[in-house]
Coordinates of all heavy atoms in Angstrom, one line a residue:
D124 N -30.6 64.6 38.8 CA -29.9 64.3 37.6 C -28.4 64.4 37.9 O -27.8 65.5 37.6 CB -30.4 65.2 36.5 CG -29.8 64.9 35.2 OD1 -28.8 64.2 35.1 OD2 -30.5 65.3 34.2
P125 N -27.7 63.4 38.4 CA -26.3 63.6 38.8 C -25.3 63.8 37.7 O -24.4 64.6 37.8 CB -26.0 62.2 39.5 CG -27.0 61.3 39.0 CD -28.2 62.1 38.6
A126 N -25.5 63.2 36.5 CA -24.5 63.4 35.5 C -25.0 64.3 34.3 O -24.4 64.4 33.3 CB -24.2 62.0 34.9
G127 N -26.2 64.9 34.5 CA -26.7 65.7 33.5 C -27.2 65.0 32.2 O -27.3 65.5 31.2
E128 N -27.5 63.7 32.4 CA -27.9 62.9 31.2 C -29.4 62.5 31.3 O -29.8 61.6 30.5 CB -27.0 61.7 31.1 CG -25.6 62.0 31.0 CD -24.8 60.9 30.3 OE1 -25.4 60.0 29.8 OE2 -23.6 61.0 30.4
G129 N -30.2 63.0 32.1 CA -31.6 62.7 32.2 C -31.9 61.3 32.6 O -32.6 60.6 32.0
W130 N -31.3 60.9 33.8 CA -31.6 59.6 34.3 C -33.0 59.4 34.8 O -33.5 58.3 34.7 CB -30.6 59.3 35.4 CG -29.2 59.2 34.9 CD1 -28.2 60.2 35.0 CD2 -28.6 58.1 34.2 NE1 -27.1 59.7 34.5 CE2 -27.2 58.5 34.0 CE3 -29.0 56.9 33.8 CZ2 -26.4 57.7 33.3 CZ3 -28.1 56.1 33.1 CH2 -26.8 56.5 32.9
A131 N -33.6 60.4 35.2 CA -34.9 60.3 35.8 C -36.0 60.4 34.7 O -35.8 61.1 33.7 CB -35.2 61.4 36.8
V132 N -37.0 59.6 34.8 CA -38.1 59.7 33.9 C -39.1 60.8 34.3 O -39.6 60.8 35.5 CB -38.9 58.3 33.8 CG1 -40.0 58.4 32.9 CG2 -37.9 57.2 33.4
G133 N -39.4 61.7 33.5 CA -40.3 62.8 33.8 C -41.0 63.3 32.6 O -40.5 63.3 31.5
R134 N -42.2 63.9 32.9 CA -43.0 64.5 31.8 C -43.2 63.5 30.6 O -43.2 64.0 29.5 CB -42.3 65.8 31.3 CG -42.2 66.8 32.4 CD -41.7 68.1 31.8 NE -41.4 69.0 32.8 CZ -40.5 69.9 32.8 NH1 -39.7 70.0 31.7 NH2 -40.3 70.7 33.8
G135 N -43.4 62.3 30.9 CA -43.7 61.3 29.8 C -42.5 61.0 28.9 O -42.7 60.3 27.9
R136 N -41.3 61.4 29.3 CA -40.2 61.1 28.4 C -39.3 60.0 29.1 O -39.1 60.1 30.3 CB -39.4 62.3 28.2 CG -40.2 63.4 27.5 CD -39.4 64.5 27.0 NE -38.5 64.1 25.9 CZ -38.0 64.9 25.1 NH1 -38.1 66.1 25.2 NH2 -37.2 64.4 24.1
L137 N -38.8 59.1 28.3 CA -37.9 58.1 28.8 C -36.5 58.7 29.0 O -36.0 59.5 28.2 CB -37.8 56.9 27.9 CG -39.1 56.1 27.8 CD1 -38.9 55.0 26.8 CD2 -39.4 55.4 29.2
S138 N -35.7 58.2 29.9 CA -34.3 58.6 30.1 C -33.5 58.0 28.9 O -34.0 57.1 28.2 CB -33.8 58.1 31.4 OG -33.7 56.7 31.4
R139 N -32.3 58.4 28.8 CA -31.5 57.9 27.7 C -31.2 56.4 27.9 O -31.2 55.7 26.9 CB -30.1 58.7 27.7 CG -30.3 60.1 27.5 CD -29.0 60.8 27.5 NE -28.4 60.6 26.2 CZ -27.2 61.0 25.9 NH1 -26.4 61.6 26.8 NH2 -26.7 60.9 24.7
M140 N -31.0 56.0 29.1 CA -30.7 54.6 29.3 C -32.0 53.7 29.0 O -31.9 52.6 28.5 CB -30.3 54.3 30.8 CG -28.9 54.9 31.1 SD -27.6 54.1 30.1 CE -27.5 52.6 31.1
A141 N -33.1 54.2 29.4 CA -34.4 53.5 29.2 C -34.7 53.4 27.7 O -35.1 52.4 27.2 CB -35.5 54.2 29.9
R142 N -34.4 54.5 26.9 CA -34.6 54.5 25.5 C -33.7 53.4 24.9 O -34.1 52.7 24.0 CB -34.3 55.8 24.9 CG -35.5 56.7 24.8 CD -35.2 57.9 24.0 NE -34.0 58.6 24.6 CZ -33.5 59.7 24.1 NH1 -34.0 60.3 23.0 NH2 -32.5 60.3 24.7
K143 N -32.5 53.5 25.3 CA -31.5 52.5 24.7 C -31.9 51.1 25.0 O -31.8 50.2 24.2 CB -30.1 52.8 25.3 CG -29.0 52.3 24.6 CD -27.7 52.8 25.2 CE -26.6 52.8 24.2 NZ -25.3 53.2 24.8
A144 N -32.4 50.8 26.2 CA -32.8 49.5 26.6 C -34.0 49.0 25.8 O -34.1 47.9 25.4 CB -33.1 49.4 28.1
V145 N -35.0 49.9 25.6 CA -36.2 49.6 24.8 C -35.8 49.3 23.4 O -36.2 48.3 22.8 CB -37.2 50.7 24.9 CG1 -38.3 50.5 23.9 CG2 -37.8 50.7 26.3
L146 N -35.0 50.1 22.8 CA -34.6 49.9 21.4 C -33.8 48.7 21.2 O -34.0 47.9 20.2 CB -33.8 51.2 20.9 CG -34.6 52.4 20.8 CD1 -33.6 53.6 20.5 CD2 -35.6 52.3 19.7
L147 N -32.9 48.4 22.2 CA -32.1 47.1 22.0 C -33.0 45.9 22.3 O -32.8 44.9 21.6 CB -30.9 47.2 23.0 CG -29.8 48.1 22.6 CD1 -28.7 48.1 23.7 CD2 -29.2 47.7 21.3
A148 N -33.9 46.0 23.2 CA -34.8 44.8 23.4 C -35.7 44.6 22.2 O -35.9 43.4 21.8 CB -35.7 45.1 24.6
G149 N -36.1 45.6 21.5 CA -36.9 45.4 20.3 C -36.0 44.8 19.2 O -36.5 44.0 18.4
L150 N -34.7 45.2 19.2 CA -33.8 44.6 18.2 C -33.6 43.1 18.4 O -33.6 42.3 17.5 CB -32.5 45.4 18.2 CG -31.5 45.1 17.1 CD1 -32.1 45.4 15.7 CD2 -30.2 45.8 17.4
V151 N -33.4 42.8 19.7 CA -33.3 41.4 20.0 C -34.5 40.6 19.7 O -34.5 39.5 19.1 CB -32.9 41.2 21.5 CG1 -33.0 39.8 22.0 CG2 -31.5 41.7 21.8
L152 N -35.7 41.2 19.9 CA -37.0 40.5 19.6 C -37.1 40.3 18.1 O -37.5 39.2 17.6 CB -38.1 41.3 20.1 CG -39.5 40.8 19.8 CD1 -39.7 39.4 20.6 CD2 -40.6 41.7 20.2
L153 N -36.7 41.3 17.3 CA -36.7 41.1 15.9 C -35.8 40.0 15.4 O -36.1 39.3 14.5 CB -36.4 42.4 15.2 CG -37.5 43.5 15.1 CD1 -37.0 44.8 14.5 CD2 -38.6 42.9 14.2
Y154 N -34.6 40.0 16.0 CA -33.7 38.9 15.7 C -34.2 37.5 16.0 O -34.1 36.6 15.1 CB -32.4 39.2 16.5 CG -31.3 38.1 16.3 CD1 -30.6 38.1 15.1 CD2 -31.1 37.1 17.2 CE1 -29.6 37.1 14.9 CE2 -30.1 36.1 17.0 CZ -29.4 36.1 15.8 OH -28.5 35.2 15.6
L155 N -34.9 37.4 17.1 CA -35.5 36.1 17.4 C -36.6 35.7 16.5 O -36.8 34.6 16.2 CB -35.9 36.1 18.9 CG -34.8 36.2 19.9 CD1 -35.3 36.3 21.3 CD2 -33.9 35.0 19.8
L156 N -37.4 36.7 16.1 CA -38.6 36.5 15.3 C -38.2 36.2 13.8 O -39.0 35.7 13.1 CB -39.5 37.6 15.3 CG -40.3 37.8 16.6 CD1 -41.1 39.1 16.6 CD2 -41.2 36.6 16.9
H157 N -37.0 36.5 13.5 CA -36.5 36.3 12.1 C -36.6 34.8 11.7 O -37.0 34.5 10.6 CB -35.1 36.9 11.9 CG -34.7 36.8 10.4 ND1 -33.9 35.8 10.0 CD2 -35.1 37.5 9.4 CE1 -33.7 35.9 8.7 NE2 -34.4 37.0 8.3
N158 N -36.2 33.9 12.6 CA -36.3 32.5 12.4 C -37.7 32.0 12.7 O -38.0 31.7 13.8 CB -35.3 31.7 13.2 CG -33.9 31.8 12.6 OD1 -33.7 31.9 11.4 ND2 -32.9 31.8 13.5
D159 N -38.5 32.1 11.7 CA -39.9 31.7 11.8 C -40.1 30.2 11.8 O -40.6 29.6 10.9 CB -40.8 32.4 10.8 CG -40.3 32.0 9.4 OD1 -39.2 31.7 9.2 OD2 -41.2 32.1 8.5
F160 N -39.6 29.5 12.8 CA -39.6 28.1 12.8 C -41.0 27.5 12.8 O -41.2 26.4 12.3 CB -38.9 27.5 14.1 CG -39.4 28.0 15.4 CD1 -40.4 27.4 16.0 CD2 -38.9 29.2 15.9 CE1 -41.0 27.8 17.2 CE2 -39.4 29.6 17.1 CZ -40.4 29.0 17.7
W161 N -42.0 28.3 13.2 CA -43.4 27.8 13.1 C -43.9 27.7 11.7 O -44.9 27.1 11.4 CB -44.3 28.6 14.0 CG -44.2 30.1 13.7 CD1 -45.0 30.7 12.7 CD2 -43.3 31.1 14.2 NE1 -44.7 32.0 12.7 CE2 -43.6 32.3 13.6 CE3 -42.3 31.0 15.1 CZ2 -43.0 33.4 13.9 CZ3 -41.7 32.2 15.4 CH2 -42.0 33.4 14.8
N162 N -43.3 28.4 10.7 CA -43.7 28.4 9.3 C -42.8 27.5 8.4 O -43.1 27.4 7.2 CB -43.7 29.8 8.8 CG -44.9 30.6 9.2 OD1 -45.9 30.1 9.4 ND2 -44.7 31.9 9.3
W163 N -41.9 26.8 9.0 CA -41.0 26.0 8.1 C -41.7 24.9 7.4 O -41.4 24.7 6.2 CB -39.8 25.4 9.0 CG -38.8 26.4 9.4 CD1 -38.7 27.7 9.0 CD2 -37.7 26.2 10.2 NE1 -37.6 28.3 9.6 CE2 -37.0 27.4 10.4 CE3 -37.2 25.0 10.9 CZ2 -35.8 27.5 11.1 CZ3 -36.1 25.2 11.7 CH2 -35.4 26.4 11.8
D164 N -42.6 24.3 8.0 CA -43.3 23.2 7.3 C -44.8 23.5 7.0 O -45.6 22.6 6.7 CB -43.3 21.9 8.2 CG -41.9 21.4 8.4 OD1 -41.1 21.5 7.5 OD2 -41.6 20.9 9.5
A165 N -45.1 24.8 6.9 CA -46.5 25.2 6.7 C -46.7 25.3 5.2 O -46.2 26.1 4.5 CB -46.7 26.6 7.3
P166 N -47.5 24.4 4.6 CA -47.7 24.3 3.2 C -48.9 25.3 2.8 O -49.0 25.5 1.6 CB -48.1 22.9 2.9 CG -48.8 22.5 4.2 CD -48.1 23.2 5.3
H167 N -49.6 25.8 3.7 CA -50.8 26.6 3.3 C -50.4 28.0 2.8 O -49.3 28.5 3.1 CB -51.7 26.8 4.5 CG -51.1 27.4 5.7 ND1 -50.3 26.8 6.6 CD2 -51.2 28.7 6.2 CE1 -49.9 27.6 7.5 NE2 -50.4 28.8 7.3
R168 N -51.3 28.6 2.1 CA -51.2 30.0 1.6 C -52.1 30.9 2.4 O -53.2 30.5 2.9 CB -51.5 30.1 0.1 CG -50.5 29.3 -0.7 CD -50.8 29.4 -2.2 NE -49.8 28.7 -2.9 CZ -48.7 29.3 -3.4 NH1 -48.5 30.6 -3.2 NH2 -47.8 28.6 -4.1
L169 N -51.7 32.1 2.5 CA -52.6 33.1 3.2 C -53.4 33.9 2.2 O -52.9 34.5 1.3 CB -51.7 34.1 4.0 CG -50.8 33.5 5.1 CD1 -50.0 34.5 5.7 CD2 -51.6 32.7 6.1
S170 N -54.7 33.8 2.3 CA -55.6 34.4 1.4 C -55.6 35.9 1.5 O -55.8 36.6 0.5 CB -57.0 33.9 1.5 OG -57.5 34.1 2.8
G171 N -55.4 36.4 2.7 CA -55.4 37.9 3.0 C -54.2 38.6 2.4 O -54.3 39.8 2.3
L172 N -53.1 37.9 2.2 CA -51.9 38.6 1.7 C -51.5 38.1 0.3 O -50.5 37.5 0.1 CB -50.8 38.3 2.7 CG -49.7 39.4 2.8 CD1 -50.2 40.7 3.1 CD2 -48.7 39.0 3.9
W173 N -52.5 38.3 -0.6 CA -52.3 37.9 -2.0 C -52.0 36.5 -2.3 O -51.3 36.1 -3.3 CB -51.2 38.8 -2.7 CG -51.4 40.3 -2.5 CD1 -52.5 41.0 -3.0 CD2 -50.7 41.1 -1.7 NE1 -52.3 42.3 -2.6 CE2 -51.3 42.4 -1.8 CE3 -49.5 41.0 -0.9 CZ2 -50.8 43.5 -1.2 CZ3 -49.0 42.1 -0.3 CH2 -49.6 43.3 -0.4
G174 N -52.4 35.6 -1.4 CA -52.2 34.2 -1.6 C -50.8 33.7 -1.5 O -50.4 32.7 -2.0
L175 N -50.0 34.5 -0.8 CA -48.5 34.1 -0.6 C -48.4 32.9 0.3 O -49.2 32.7 1.2 CB -47.8 35.3 0.0 CG -47.7 36.6 -0.9 CD1 -47.0 37.7 -0.1 CD2 -46.9 36.3 -2.2
P176 N -47.4 32.1 0.2 CA -47.1 31.1 1.2 C -46.8 31.7 2.5 O -46.4 32.8 2.6 CB -45.8 30.4 0.6 CG -45.7 30.8 -0.8 CD -46.4 32.1 -1.0
A177 N -47.1 31.0 3.6 CA -47.1 31.5 4.9 C -45.7 32.0 5.3 O -45.6 33.1 5.9 CB -47.5 30.4 5.9
G178 N -44.6 31.3 4.9 CA -43.3 31.8 5.3 C -42.9 33.0 4.5 O -42.3 33.9 5.1
F179 N -43.3 33.1 3.3 CA -43.0 34.3 2.5 C -43.8 35.5 3.0 O -43.3 36.6 3.1 CB -43.3 34.1 1.0 CG -42.8 35.2 0.2 CD1 -41.5 35.5 0.0 CD2 -43.7 36.0 -0.5 CE1 -41.0 36.6 -0.8 CE2 -43.3 37.0 -1.3 CZ -42.0 37.3 -1.5
A180 N -45.1 35.3 3.3 CA -45.9 36.4 3.9 C -45.3 36.9 5.2 O -45.3 38.1 5.5 CB -47.3 35.9 4.1
W181 N -44.8 35.9 6.0 CA -44.2 36.3 7.3 C -43.0 37.2 7.1 O -42.8 38.2 7.7 CB -43.8 35.1 8.1 CG -42.9 35.4 9.3 CD1 -41.6 35.3 9.4 CD2 -43.4 36.0 10.5 NE1 -41.1 35.8 10.6 CE2 -42.2 36.2 11.3 CE3 -44.6 36.4 11.0 CZ2 -42.3 36.8 12.5 CZ3 -44.7 37.0 12.2 CH2 -43.5 37.1 13.0
H182 N -42.2 36.9 6.1 CA -41.0 37.7 5.8 C -41.3 39.1 5.2 O -40.6 40.0 5.4 CB -40.0 37.0 5.0 CG -39.1 36.1 5.8 ND1 -39.5 34.9 6.3 CD2 -37.9 36.4 6.3 CE1 -38.5 34.4 7.0 NE2 -37.5 35.3 7.1
V183 N -42.4 39.2 4.5 CA -42.9 40.5 4.0 C -43.2 41.4 5.2 O -42.7 42.5 5.3 CB -44.1 40.4 3.1 CG1 -44.8 41.7 2.8 CG2 -43.7 39.7 1.8
V184 N -44.0 40.8 6.1 CA -44.4 41.6 7.3 C -43.2 41.9 8.2 O -43.0 43.0 8.7 CB -45.5 40.9 8.1 CG1 -45.8 41.5 9.4 CG2 -46.7 40.8 7.3
Y185 N -42.3 40.9 8.3 CA -41.1 41.0 9.1 C -40.2 42.1 8.6 O -39.7 43.0 9.3 CB -40.3 39.7 9.2 CG -39.0 39.9 9.8 CD1 -38.9 39.9 11.2 CD2 -37.8 40.1 9.1 CE1 -37.7 40.0 11.9 CE2 -36.6 40.2 9.7 CZ -36.5 40.2 11.1 OH -35.3 40.4 11.7
C186 N -40.0 42.2 7.3 CA -39.2 43.2 6.7 C -39.7 44.6 6.9 O -39.0 45.6 7.2 CB -39.0 43.0 5.2 SG -37.9 41.6 4.8
L187 N -41.0 44.8 6.8 CA -41.6 46.1 7.1 C -41.4 46.5 8.5 O -41.1 47.6 8.9 CB -43.1 46.0 6.7 CG -43.4 45.9 5.2 CD1 -44.9 45.7 5.0 CD2 -42.9 47.1 4.4
A188 N -41.6 45.5 9.4 CA -41.4 45.8 10.9 C -39.9 46.1 11.2 O -39.7 47.0 11.9 CB -41.9 44.6 11.7
A189 N -39.0 45.4 10.6 CA -37.6 45.6 10.8 C -37.2 47.0 10.3 O -36.4 47.8 10.9 CB -36.7 44.5 10.2
A190 N -37.7 47.4 9.1 CA -37.4 48.7 8.5 C -37.9 49.8 9.4 O -37.3 50.8 9.7 CB -38.0 48.8 7.1
G191 N -39.1 49.6 9.9 CA -39.7 50.6 10.8 C -38.9 50.7 12.1 O -38.7 51.8 12.6
W192 N -38.5 49.6 12.7 CA -37.7 49.6 13.9 C -36.4 50.3 13.7 O -35.9 51.0 14.6 CB -37.6 48.2 14.5 CG -37.1 48.2 15.9 CD1 -35.9 48.0 16.3 CD2 -37.9 48.5 17.0 NE1 -35.8 48.2 17.7 CE2 -37.1 48.5 18.2 CE3 -39.3 48.8 17.2 CZ2 -37.5 48.7 19.4 CZ3 -39.7 49.1 18.5 CH2 -38.9 49.0 19.6
M193 N -35.7 50.0 12.6 CA -34.4 50.6 12.3 C -34.6 52.1 12.2 O -33.8 52.9 12.6 CB -33.8 50.0 11.1 CG -33.4 48.6 11.2 SD -32.2 48.5 12.5 CE -32.6 46.9 13.2
A194 N -35.7 52.6 11.5 CA -36.0 54.0 11.4 C -36.1 54.6 12.8 O -35.7 55.7 13.1 CB -37.2 54.2 10.5
M195 N -36.8 53.9 13.7 CA -37.0 54.4 15.1 C -35.7 54.5 15.8 O -35.4 55.4 16.5 CB -38.0 53.5 15.8 CG -39.4 53.8 15.5 SD -40.6 53.0 16.6 CE -39.8 52.0 17.7
M196 N -34.8 53.5 15.5 CA -33.5 53.5 16.2 C -32.7 54.7 15.7 O -32.0 55.3 16.5 CB -32.8 52.2 15.9 CG -33.4 51.0 16.7 SD -32.4 49.5 16.6 CE -31.0 49.9 17.7
V197 N -32.7 55.0 14.5 CA -32.0 56.1 13.9 C -32.5 57.4 14.5 O -31.8 58.3 14.9 CB -32.0 56.1 12.4 CG1 -31.5 57.5 11.9 CG2 -31.2 55.0 11.8
R198 N -33.8 57.5 14.7 CA -34.4 58.7 15.1 C -34.2 58.9 16.6 O -34.0 60.0 17.1 CB -35.9 58.7 14.8 CG -36.8 59.7 15.4 CD -36.7 61.0 14.6 NE -37.7 61.9 15.0 CZ -37.5 62.9 15.8 NH1 -36.2 63.2 16.2 NH2 -38.4 63.8 16.2
W199 N -34.4 57.9 17.4 CA -34.4 58.0 18.9 C -33.2 57.5 19.6 O -33.2 57.4 20.9 CB -35.7 57.4 19.4 CG -36.9 58.1 19.1 CD1 -37.1 59.5 19.1 CD2 -38.1 57.6 18.6 NE1 -38.3 59.8 18.7 CE2 -39.0 58.6 18.4 CE3 -38.6 56.3 18.4 CZ2 -40.3 58.4 17.9 CZ3 -39.8 56.1 17.9 CH2 -40.7 57.2 17.7
W200 N -32.2 57.0 18.9 CA -31.0 56.5 19.7 C -30.3 57.7 20.4 O -30.0 58.7 19.8 CB -30.0 55.9 18.7 CG -28.9 55.2 19.4 CD1 -27.7 55.7 19.7 CD2 -28.9 53.9 20.0 NE1 -26.9 54.8 20.3 CE2 -27.7 53.7 20.5 CE3 -29.9 52.9 20.1 CZ2 -27.4 52.5 21.2 CZ3 -29.6 51.7 20.7 CH2 -28.3 51.5 21.3
P201 N -30.1 57.5 21.7 CA -29.5 58.6 22.5 C -28.0 58.8 22.1 O -27.3 57.9 21.9 CB -29.6 58.1 23.9 CG -29.7 56.7 23.9 CD -30.4 56.3 22.5
G202 N -27.7 60.0 21.9 CA -26.3 60.3 21.6 C -26.2 61.5 20.6 O -27.1 62.1 20.2
V203 N -25.0 61.7 20.1 CA -24.7 62.8 19.2 C -25.0 62.3 17.8 O -24.6 61.2 17.4 CB -23.2 63.2 19.3 CG1 -22.9 64.3 18.4 CG2 -22.9 63.6 20.8
R204 N -25.7 63.2 17.0 CA -25.9 62.9 15.6 C -25.1 63.8 14.8 O -24.9 65.0 15.0 CB -27.4 63.2 15.3 CG -28.3 62.2 15.9 CD -29.7 62.4 15.5 NE -30.6 62.2 16.7 CZ -31.8 62.5 16.8 NH1 -32.4 63.2 15.8 NH2 -32.5 62.3 17.9
E205 N -24.5 63.2 13.7 CA -23.7 64.0 12.9 C -24.4 64.4 11.6 O -25.3 63.9 11.2 CB -22.4 63.2 12.4 CG -21.6 62.8 13.6 CD -20.4 62.0 13.2 OE1 -20.4 61.3 12.2 OE2 -19.4 62.1 14.0

């Protein structure tokens, strides 16, 4: 550990750089999934999600996933917390 920042992965814990990379990769993935181009012309409704249109149901699930990911980022972002 040259800089005292936990660069090595040990005991099942990710290093600070690895955590940051995973959190940022998930954020990029959420950004790309936000444009649900596959649902733009989908006229069908989803029976399992209260009969919502496919695009709207996608955004319900997307918002829940984004909120969960942001909560994880706040909890596990490496650095000083105030």
Side-chain angles (χ1 to χ4, degrees):
D124 188 336
E128 299 203 14
W130 292 102
V132 177
R134 297 187 188 148
R136 299 188 72 160
L137 292 175
S138 69
R139 297 179 85 185
M140 293 295 284
R142 271 191 302 181
K143 201 173 200 179
V145 168
L146 291 173
L147 288 175
L150 189 63
V151 168
L152 180 64
L153 279 172
Y154 177 76
L155 294 173
L156 289 175
H157 185 259
N158 281 328
D159 58 335
F160 57 87
W161 55 89
N162 281 330
W163 285 355
D164 296 324
H167 62 280
R168 294 181 177 269
L169 300 178
S170 61
L172 208 56
W173 305 294
L175 295 175
F179 187 66
W181 170 256
H182 273 82
V183 167
V184 173
Y185 173 82
C186 285
L187 293 173
W192 194 259
M193 292 300 147
M195 281 188 358
M196 287 187 76
V197 167
R198 171 83 171 99
W199 290 317
W200 188 262
V203 179
R204 292 184 217 165
E205 296 180 336

